[in-house]
């Protein structure tokens, strides 16, 4: 009974602190919603330790312990795979800025960090176009692993056996599209890192960019294969509507 009362008291105090803080400054909503792919076990902390920033979980899509709420300094820890929508409240120019983040959490080791960056770049490309953000699909990701290796044999949307890339999947949804590119390791600091080379190549190609911002796309897979012979990365991005 004492334990329950203490937990209730702490919850009430936290609400009072957030309400009092909210009364001090006017709210301003971030015009963009942010979608980020992250891995289980990653912990985030708001950069300004002296700020009163805090996170509030809005929805966890039925995965109750996906997010562990932090203190007023903005700690946030991902506990297991799933999806979550989180609001970050932080002071900015005399106001409280409310930024909404949609997190898609995948098992640890699912992605090379460079793939995570390209995934997030893709949604950042979609965001200003007024289309919904794509979600990560493990099924599409597995297909990309297969296709990336095939590109080292036959660099084309046609597979080495002569069939279309769509045959890599049984569930093709209403639509499938594929982006491919090749990158090389930069030899100097002035050259673009490979994750940026991949996104930049797709963003500058009309057909590839159209795939990235296609409003019918709902899910995305992304991966690359490193060929030790050519020392190149073969990248694949598959969208499903």
């Amino acid at each position: 009974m004492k334990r329950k009362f203490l937990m209730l008291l702490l919850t009430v105090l936290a609400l009072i602190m957030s309400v009092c803080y909210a009364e001090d400054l006017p709210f301003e909503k971030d015009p963009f919603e942010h979608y980020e792919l992250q891995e289980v076990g990653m912990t985030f902390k708001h950069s300004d330790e002296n700020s009163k920033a805090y996170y509030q979980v809005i929805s966890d899509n039925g995965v109750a312990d996906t997010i562990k709420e932090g203190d007023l300094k903005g700690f946030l820890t991902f506990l297991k795979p799933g999806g979550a929508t989180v609001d970050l409240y932080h002071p900015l120019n005399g106001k409280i800025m409310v930024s909404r983040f949609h997190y898609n959490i995948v098992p640890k080791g699912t992605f090379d960090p460079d793939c995570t960056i390209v995934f997030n770049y893709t949604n950042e490309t979609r965001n200003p176009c007024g289309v919904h953000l794509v979600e990560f699909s493990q099924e599409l990701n597995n297909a990309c692993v297969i296709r990336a290796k095939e590109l080292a044999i036959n660099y084309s949307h046609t597979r080495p056996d002569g069939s279309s890339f769509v045959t890599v999947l049984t569930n093709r949804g209403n639509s499938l599209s594929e982006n491919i590119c090749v990158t090389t390791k930069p030899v100097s600091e002035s050259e673009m890192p490979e994750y940026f080379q991949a996104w930049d190549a797709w963003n500058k190609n009309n057909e590839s960019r159209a795939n990235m911002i296609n409003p019918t796309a709902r899910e995305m897979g992304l991966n690359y294969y490193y060929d030790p012979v050519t020392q190149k990365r073969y990248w694949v991005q598959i969208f499903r509507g």
Side-chain angles (χ1 to χ4, degrees), residues 36-66:
E36 295 188 10
L37 184 74
Q38 303 294 354
E39 291 190 337
V40 170
M42 296 190 73
T43 300
F44 296 86
K45 182 179 180 181
H46 196 263
S47 59
D48 184 0
E49 293 189 7
N50 297 317
S51 75
K52 295 181 180 179
Y54 63 95
Y55 291 99
Q56 180 182 354
V57 178
I58 305 301
S59 167
D60 61 11
N61 295 338
V63 186
D65 56 353
T66 297

Side-chain angles (χ1 to χ4, degrees), residues 78-90:
F78 299 108
L79 300 181
K80 73 177 189 180
T85 300
V86 180
D87 280 354
L88 169 63
Y89 296 81
H90 54 103

Side-chain angles (χ1 to χ4, degrees), residues 133-176:
L133 306 175
V134 290
E135 296 184 357
F136 169 78
S137 166
Q138 185 64 61
E139 182 184 9
L140 295 183
N141 188 59
N142 293 341
C144 287
V145 171
I146 295 172
R147 287 289 296 129
K149 291 180 179 178
E150 291 180 347
L151 291 181
I153 301 171
N154 181 39
Y155 185 73
S156 168
H157 293 296
T158 300
R159 304 182 68 184
D161 65 1
S163 63
S164 169
F165 77 91
V166 300
T167 61
V168 76
L169 285 160
T170 302
N171 177 13
R172 300 171 190 174
N174 294 319
S175 63
L176 278 181

Side-chain angles (χ1 to χ4, degrees), residues 8-20:
L8 178 61
L9 180 60
L10 289 173
T11 302
V12 172
L13 286 174
L15 287 172
I16 291 174
M17 290 175 69
S18 62
V19 170
C20 290

Side-chain angles (χ1 to χ4, degrees), residues 4 6 43 52 73 84 100 158 225 228:
K4 289 183 178 179
L6 180 59
T43 300
K52 295 181 180 179
K73 292 182 181 178
R100 176 157 292 183
T158 300
Y225 168 70

Side-chain angles (χ1 to χ4, degrees), residues 25 45 61 115 177:
L25 298 172
K45 182 179 180 181
N61 295 338
C115 290
S177 59

